[in-house]
Amino acid sequence: MPFIDARFSTPVNEVQEENIKTKLGEAITLIGKSEAYLMVQIQGDCKLYFKGNKDDESAYFEVKLLGKSTKANYEKLTAALCELATEELGIPSNRVYVKFEEIEYWGYDSFVF
């Protein structure tokens, strides 16, 4: 039951949004999760300040998941998210942050897992 919040300082058109959504669905498998329960939020035109300015493009991903994964898997997902930001929106990987949060309990469909 992962959730990915993807924020970009650049605009995101409909084609890019669909590509990003698809690539996030593929990338989540790198940490042993499935797209079947993946929820995604994609925001463009965010005011992201990095190194004290917002002059260059930036991206921020927040990945929340039920349970845990390994550092090696998180590194693979980080690389995939950096690549996604570069390929889809031209954001260099050194302007991308990724935050991981492991959730002990997750509610879904009136149940808690």
Side-chain angles (χ1 to χ4, degrees):
M1 296 184 166
F3 173 72
I4 301 177
D5 183 1
R7 302 177 195 190
F8 307 100
S9 63
T10 61
V12 178
N13 65 40
E14 288 183 29
V15 171
Q16 291 168 323
E17 183 177 305
E18 182 64 26
N19 291 342
I20 291 166
K21 187 249 340 152
T22 299
K23 289 180 180 182
L24 291 175
E26 295 166 357
I28 201 66
T29 64
L30 296 171
I31 59 171
K33 299 296 179 177
S34 167
E35 184 181 17
Y37 290 99
L38 174 64
M39 183 178 281
V40 172
Q41 175 174 268
I42 300 169
Q43 298 178 44
D45 289 321
C46 292
K47 293 181 181 177
L48 297 175
Y49 287 80
F50 188 71
K51 297 182 180 182
N53 67 66
K54 62 176 182 169
D55 297 337
D56 293 322
E57 295 87 3
S58 299
Y60 172 74
F61 295 91
E62 191 169 288
V63 181
K64 297 182 181 194
L65 63 137
L66 177 65
K68 299 178 182 254
S69 193
T70 66
K71 181 179 178 187
N73 286 346
Y74 290 145
E75 287 176 348
K76 290 176 193 174
L77 182 54
T78 298
L81 296 177
C82 288
E83 184 178 312
L84 180 157
T86 301
E87 286 180 357
E88 290 300 323
L89 301 170
I91 299 171
S93 63
N94 67 349
R95 304 260 324 160
V96 177
Y97 271 176
V98 181
K99 176 187 174 190
F100 295 99
E101 187 173 346
E102 297 171 338
I103 309 295
E104 185 176 356
Y105 298 103
W106 200 284
Y108 165 73
D109 194 20
S110 301
F111 298 97
V112 173
F113 295 88

